[in-house]
Amino acid sequence: MSSFPLITAHTGSMGYPDHSFESLQASLALGIDIYEDDIRITRDGIPVLAHDDGIELGDGRQGSLEKLSLNEVHAMSLTPFPTLQEMLVHIRKAGNIMNLDIKTDRALEPVSALIEQMNMKEHVFLSGCAYDTALKAGKYAPEIRRLLNVNLQHLERLNYADAIIQMCEEAKHADCFGLNLPFQVVREQLIDIVKSNGLDIYVWTVMDVEDMRTLAGWGVDSITTRNPLKLTTLREEMKRAEEKQVEPKAKL
């Protein structure tokens, strides 16, 4: 079939808790291409899966991941925080790719070191990188591919085409392989501009199947969703429809 967008499962996939092995396993079972999760860092430099720095402690107080060691987090937190290394073991075994959504610049150097140690640069890429973070990633993690999280303010001060051109220029200057942007701001016009600049288009987070169908038809490179079942079902539906169109007509 014609190229279907890569299917990226957002953490918390299929109703399972965010940052959980259950979410990952449910996603892999559906045949996804990429798994996305958020990355933060503990005081002792261990990358963990977490969206926010603040965590709830067992005694009712609020704690900070960046101010606690991994052992302290495990001992004091009400919520488990898997390490990135633990998750990557599963990713490598499955032969998949992981989208590392960087939530703090402090994670860049330890993440780079971990990926180098595990020899997994072909199995990961970075997102969550605004322009300044993308530049820093080029310093701390030069061999790891990265997406540019676009600056949506460009859309407020420039006309649509000029805003997309500006995003592309920033992505290329920061040596990013593509743009990462909310699907709501994507128009068909964006596809032509971004592709003419040699960049990929990754969109998030799409839950409605008709939005998925539209974006796939436009030719985006990846769609992120918390319901990858909808996307895998759509992929099979579009594959069958395409095969039906090319079937030779039966002889009369």
Side-chain angles (χ1 to χ4, degrees):
M1 67 177 294
S2 301
S3 181
F4 190 84
L6 295 171
I7 297 176
T8 299
H10 190 288
T11 187
S13 174
M14 302 308 298
Y16 287 98
D18 289 3
H19 325 305
S20 69
F21 292 112
E22 292 86 355
S23 171
L24 172 64
Q25 294 302 329
S27 302
L28 295 177
L30 289 169
I32 57 110
D33 302 295
I34 302 168
Y35 187 75
E36 179 272 348
D37 214 324
D38 308 310
I39 311 300
R40 284 194 172 270
I41 196 98
T42 60
R43 189 186 68 210
D44 48 346
I46 307 299
V48 294
L49 308 185
H51 186 277
D52 302 317
D53 179 60
I55 62 174
E56 186 177 357
L57 303 180
D59 59 7
R61 293 182 299 144
Q62 290 292 308
S64 163
L65 282 172
E66 292 191 358
K67 295 180 180 179
L68 295 170
S69 69
L70 181 62
N71 285 339
E72 289 170 335
V73 170
H74 285 165
M76 301 169 65
S77 173
L78 292 175
T79 304
F81 286 90
T83 67
L84 175 57
Q85 183 172 3
E86 291 169 332
M87 190 66 75
L88 287 175
V89 169
H90 292 271
I91 292 291
R92 177 160 55 193
K93 183 177 180 180
N96 281 71
I97 294 173
M98 189 166 180
N99 173 351
L100 310 181
D101 189 347
I102 301 297
K103 293 303 182 184
T104 171
D105 289 0
R106 289 187 64 243
L108 289 171
E109 193 167 5
V111 164
S112 178
L114 176 63
I115 299 306
E116 178 71 21
Q117 172 192 333
M118 298 183 71
N119 192 27
M120 289 191 66
K121 64 182 181 181
E122 302 301 323
H123 290 272
V124 301
F125 62 85
L126 307 181
S127 67
C129 299
Y131 180 63
D132 289 344
T133 299
L135 292 175
K136 291 178 183 177
K139 175 182 178 182
Y140 293 116
E143 296 188 353
I144 303 178
R145 297 188 309 147
R146 52 195 175 274
L147 288 171
L148 177 72
N149 272 41
V150 301
N151 183 352
L152 295 178
Q153 291 182 350
H154 293 326
L155 293 170
E156 298 174 2
R157 63 182 186 83
L158 299 170
N159 68 53
Y160 189 80
D162 288 342
I164 304 307
I165 291 170
Q166 180 65 32
M167 294 172 186
C168 291
E169 290 176 353
E170 290 178 355
K172 291 190 290 185
H173 187 258
D175 200 22
C176 296
F177 73 90
L179 304 184
N180 193 38
L181 66 171
F183 81 94
Q184 294 92 338
V185 304
V186 175
R187 304 178 191 171
E188 196 167 7
Q189 181 185 16
L190 175 145
I191 310 298
D192 293 335
I193 297 173
V194 177
K195 291 298 184 181
S196 69
N197 278 273
L199 297 168
D200 288 351
I201 304 161
Y202 281 54
V203 298
W204 51 269
T205 299
V206 190
M207 296 300 293
D208 181 80
V209 70
E210 290 308 314
D211 290 328
M212 295 172 180
R213 190 188 307 277
T214 296
L215 292 160
W218 284 350
V220 303
D221 295 282
S222 173
I223 297 174
T224 296
T225 181
R226 284 182 180 263
N227 191 330
L229 178 58
K230 288 184 178 180
L231 262 180
T232 55
T233 300
L234 177 63
R235 180 173 61 187
E236 292 307 308
E237 174 192 322
M238 294 179 71
K239 179 180 178 180
R240 288 194 300 270
E242 186 172 292
E243 290 173 346
K244 188 174 182 180
Q245 288 181 347
V246 299
E247 285 178 358
K249 294 182 178 180
K251 294 181 179 179
L252 297 176

